[in-house]
Amino acid sequence: MMLHLTQELEPPANPARFMEAIWGFGTDTVRSSPHVKMDDIYGGTFEGRDFGSTKMQLLDHTLQRGKMVTSISSGMAHINMVLQRLNGRVLVQRFMDDATGRRPINQKRLRALGISDELHPRIQAQLQKHVDQTTGLLGRKVSRINIEKWDDLDARNAFVNGVDRWAKRSVQENDPGNMPAFMTKELGKTVFQFRSFMLAAYSKQLLAGVHHRDRETFSAFMSSMLFGGLFYAAQTAVNAQGRADRDEYLEKRLAPDAIARASFQRAGFSSILPIGVDFVAGFAGVEPIFDFRSSGLSNGGGIIGTLTSNPTGDLLRNLERGVAGASASIISPDYKLSQQDWRALSSLAIFQNAFIVRNGLAMMGADLPQYSQ
């Protein structure tokens, strides 16, 4: 399959094409589409189509489509696609620089990627023999790998697997083997919903980085913080549009110390450290220090706060507060529906956290008093 795909890419109009054929970088929205999934248990039927699918399969198909719409509308799907493609090109170039002697790769890192000391020089030889390069502003760069021409199959397989492992660690992709045992249980999945990235990053980024302790690790950690901070600042600026307290919100959320804390929390290597700090701080009655999750959920604090800092807990809290506020404003003439009540109510809407929808809902409640009276 790999040889067939790569042979079809002549001439290489775009280097990203042969990387997609070999590794599939940047193709999550295509490969994860619910339209192409089949379930052999129920007679090989397509999920979502009335070819014998059960009602639960149809429901799951609808939920998966909603999940994809949320991912695309939030912008995360396309951000991840760009990062995966850029990261793939950087890693292939990194191996080429190692083969030419410009920047050697740490042997300990190579072993962690499944590349033995015996296979390493064989990969270098194949890269020097078959890879096409062009001259750019920053020197020579890879234009085509020509993987179909490699005659050392063991070296080719080790190279492909090594790049794949490194890429899925640099731009993290989760798999069941990264998760703790409790994430196989429904209760664990509910409590730690939207925290699977953090849990997988503990071994994939934090422990791996501590193990390597090299320049590559430092560069990856700092880059992760930089891009995490940039995305946080951009997301905050967009989310502030339509809010009645826009200026105060931006002043608080874009303060230098807030950006620094958000950059650390959103960096993959921070993993369980932010939630651990806030868990301990909750016992001292301190508000969460790292309260900058991209989902907008609280980072917890203490036992109850940590266990309920997930979509289920957030839904129940907002349902209670929103219904109570709306009921009080109807029953009591002295009670005025506030912006906080409105935010609780609007958070129950579908796709309420997506860009534009979130701003529109904020504008609808901008004229309400800040606090109930």
Side-chain angles (χ1 to χ4, degrees), residues 61-73 194 351:
H61 176 81
T62 303
L63 293 175
Q64 293 300 323
R65 294 184 67 179
K67 181 180 178 181
M68 177 166 284
V69 170
T70 302
S71 178
I72 294 174
S73 63
F194 285 12
F351 302 130

Side-chain angles (χ1 to χ4, degrees), residues 301-354:
I303 298 176
I304 302 301
T306 301
L307 293 178
T308 59
S309 59
N310 51 61
T312 303
D314 185 69
L315 174 65
L316 295 176
R317 281 193 301 270
N318 288 328
L319 178 63
E320 180 182 9
R321 176 164 191 162
V323 172
S327 301
S329 65
I330 296 175
I331 297 174
S332 175
D334 298 327
Y335 188 93
K336 302 296 183 182
L337 191 71
S338 67
Q339 293 179 19
Q340 293 182 336
D341 295 330
W342 173 250
R343 290 193 193 107
L345 282 172
S346 61
S347 69
L348 306 178
I350 299 177
F351 302 130
Q352 52 82 24
N353 209 30

Side-chain angles (χ1 to χ4, degrees), residues 7-126:
Q7 287 170 349
E8 288 184 347
L9 297 180
E10 299 282 0
N14 186 345
R17 293 183 64 197
F18 63 76
M19 291 192 185
E20 289 180 2
I22 299 170
W23 292 287
F25 296 150
T27 60
D28 286 353
T29 55
V30 178
R31 292 184 291 108
S32 301
S33 173
H35 299 290
V36 297
K37 292 182 179 179
M38 293 188 68
D39 193 336
D40 292 331
I41 297 178
Y42 294 94
T45 59
F46 281 97
E47 293 187 6
R49 301 185 182 182
D50 192 16
F51 298 149
S53 300
T54 66
K55 291 183 178 179
M56 290 302 296
Q57 283 180 298
L58 293 171
L59 175 61
D60 180 70
H61 176 81
T62 303
L63 293 175
Q64 293 300 323
R65 294 184 67 179
K67 181 180 178 181
M68 177 166 284
V69 170
T70 302
S71 178
I72 294 174
S73 63
S74 68
M76 288 305 300
H78 291 86
I79 290 174
N80 201 49
M81 177 184 68
V82 172
L83 288 176
Q84 286 180 343
R85 290 178 175 175
L86 290 176
N87 185 56
R89 297 192 63 174
V90 168
L91 292 181
V92 170
Q93 186 65 53
R94 185 71 180 86
F95 272 91
M96 193 64 208
D97 290 344
D98 172 72
T100 57
R102 291 179 57 190
R103 286 192 302 159
I105 300 177
N106 190 326
Q107 286 296 128
K108 186 165 58 175
R109 181 177 293 277
L110 288 171
R111 296 188 193 108
L113 296 175
I115 299 175
S116 65
D117 296 348
E118 185 267 333
L119 280 171
H120 182 209
R122 291 164 59 181
I123 292 174
Q124 291 177 319
Q126 291 292 301

